[in-house]
């Protein structure tokens, strides 16, 4: 096991209570990402997103669940400005934006260290600075000792850690996650969920996490947006009433099952 470790500032974005727990949602002000009546119609007439409005506050983790093909990836592509909305407005807060895909998209000929450095290299960060940032991200993501390995020598979970480390070098204020753990086995996925939460709590970024998994959404997020079948619109917004930090055992609590059941019921609602 290679747990993610804590380095640097203890940047928990909200004020912990007397028990050291964070309130839900985080108490910081500021919007990391805002969608206002956003619609996306592709040139072939496919309406993928239909009048979607939501916000992700600074330091908040929001999950989106919805059926396959409902437009979740399109939402993330809109958020990252990879594609433009047909109408509506998208606001992004200050700071860098990180994007983690289901496919870790590593360069096979580069070592772990050189893969982690890639984004900083493309952004023109000096060699000394990016080496230092990569070293820190490698420790944070539990990759120490694997710096000289090439991607083919790594498991799926380790490759995903490299992808996460690479994004961390740009010190994003908001992370977009497009089903990053969807291709992993359940045990690895649960471990990475717990480790991602540790990173989220300590690094203080905001997150928008797209997933098919109701349990993953409920475990990670402080709010879950449930999407309808295409065209994508929000059918329910479900607050998750568990303070951070969250223990992995939370998944087995009766209260957790109740919240997960609520999300599942919303997913089964008939489209309008
Ligand atoms: P999800 O991530 O929820 O599975 P996507 O956002 O990938 O869904 O896609 C939503 C819908 O938009 C799908 O019907 C898909 O086929 C369609 N779509 C995605 N990209 C394009 C495109 N460039 N042109 C036309 N249709 C597209």
């Amino acid at each position: 096991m290679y747990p993610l470790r804590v380095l640097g500032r203890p940047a928990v974005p909200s004020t912990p209570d007397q028990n050291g727990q964070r309130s839900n949602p985080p108490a910081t002000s500021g919007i990391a990402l805002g969608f206002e009546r956003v619609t996306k119609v592709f040139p072939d007439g496919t309406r993928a997103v239909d009048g979607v409005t939501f916000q992700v506050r600074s330091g908040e983790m929001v999950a989106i669940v919805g059926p396959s093909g409902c437009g979740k990836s399109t939402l993330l592509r809109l958020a990252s400005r990879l594609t433009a909305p047909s109408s509506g407005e998208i606001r992004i807060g200050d700071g860098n934006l990180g994007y983690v895909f289901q496919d870790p998209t590593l360069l096979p000929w580069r070592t772990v260290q050189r893969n982690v450095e890639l984004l900083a290299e493309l952004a023109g960060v000096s060699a000394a600075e990016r080496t230092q940032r990569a070293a820190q991200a490698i420790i944070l993501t539990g990759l120490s000792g694997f710096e000289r390995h090439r991607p083919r020598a790594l498991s799926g979970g380790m490759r995903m850690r490299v992808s996460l480390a690479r994004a961390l070098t740009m010190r994003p204020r908001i992370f977009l996650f497009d089903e990053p753990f969807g291709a992993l086995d359940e045990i690895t996925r649960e471990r990475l969920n717990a480790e991602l939460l540790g990173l989220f709590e300590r690094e203080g970024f905001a997150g928008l996490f797209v997933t098919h998994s109701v349990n993953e959404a409920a475990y990670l997020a402080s709010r879950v947006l449930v999407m309808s079948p295409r065209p994508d619109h929000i059918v329910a917004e479900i607050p998750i009433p568990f303070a951070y930090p969250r223990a992995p055992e939370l998944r087995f609590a009766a209260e957790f099952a109740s919240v997960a059941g609520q999300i599942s019921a919303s997913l089964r609602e008939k489209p309008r």
Side-chain angles (χ1 to χ4, degrees), residues 100-171:
V100 181
F101 305 90
Q102 182 167 340
D103 184 336
T105 60
L106 306 179
L107 298 179
W109 58 90
R110 284 194 167 213
T111 61
V112 165
Q113 170 80 28
R114 300 265 296 127
N115 264 293
V116 173
E117 285 182 24
L118 183 68
L119 287 183
E121 196 177 317
L122 293 174
V125 175
S126 72
E129 169 73 9
R130 67 177 186 254
T131 304
Q132 189 256 324
R133 287 193 198 182
Q136 188 177 32
I138 280 171
I139 295 171
L140 278 169
T141 50
L143 287 166
S144 299
F146 292 83
E147 292 86 342
R148 291 169 176 275
H149 285 58
R150 295 227 154 48
R152 67 171 177 276
L154 303 176
S155 66
M158 294 296 274
R159 283 188 206 135
M160 193 45 72
R161 286 183 163 94
V162 179
S163 171
L164 200 51
R166 184 182 53 194
L168 279 171
T169 62
M170 299 309 291
R171 299 176 175 156

Side-chain angles (χ1 to χ4, degrees), residues 222-262:
S222 57
R223 250 180 330 130
V224 175
L225 308 178
V226 180
M227 311 306 292
S228 70
R230 187 168 67 81
D232 198 354
H233 64 276
I234 297 170
V235 289
E237 178 178 328
I238 298 173
I240 307 297
F242 309 119
Y244 297 99
R246 293 177 180 172
E249 296 72 36
L250 173 65
R251 287 192 185 82
F252 308 112
E255 297 85 349
F256 186 89
S258 160
V259 171
Q262 213 183 326

Side-chain angles (χ1 to χ4, degrees), residues 64-127:
I64 294 184
V65 287
S68 204
C70 77
K72 301 183 297 299
S73 299
T74 304
L75 270 187
L76 293 189
R77 290 173 63 79
L78 286 162
S80 62
R81 304 216 188 282
L82 284 171
T83 189
S86 309
S87 64
E89 198 189 329
I90 298 169
R91 284 176 294 136
I92 301 176
D94 292 338
N96 286 333
L97 184 143
Y99 206 142
V100 181
F101 305 90
Q102 182 167 340
D103 184 336
T105 60
L106 306 179
L107 298 179
W109 58 90
R110 284 194 167 213
T111 61
V112 165
Q113 170 80 28
R114 300 265 296 127
N115 264 293
V116 173
E117 285 182 24
L118 183 68
L119 287 183
E121 196 177 317
L122 293 174
V125 175
S126 72

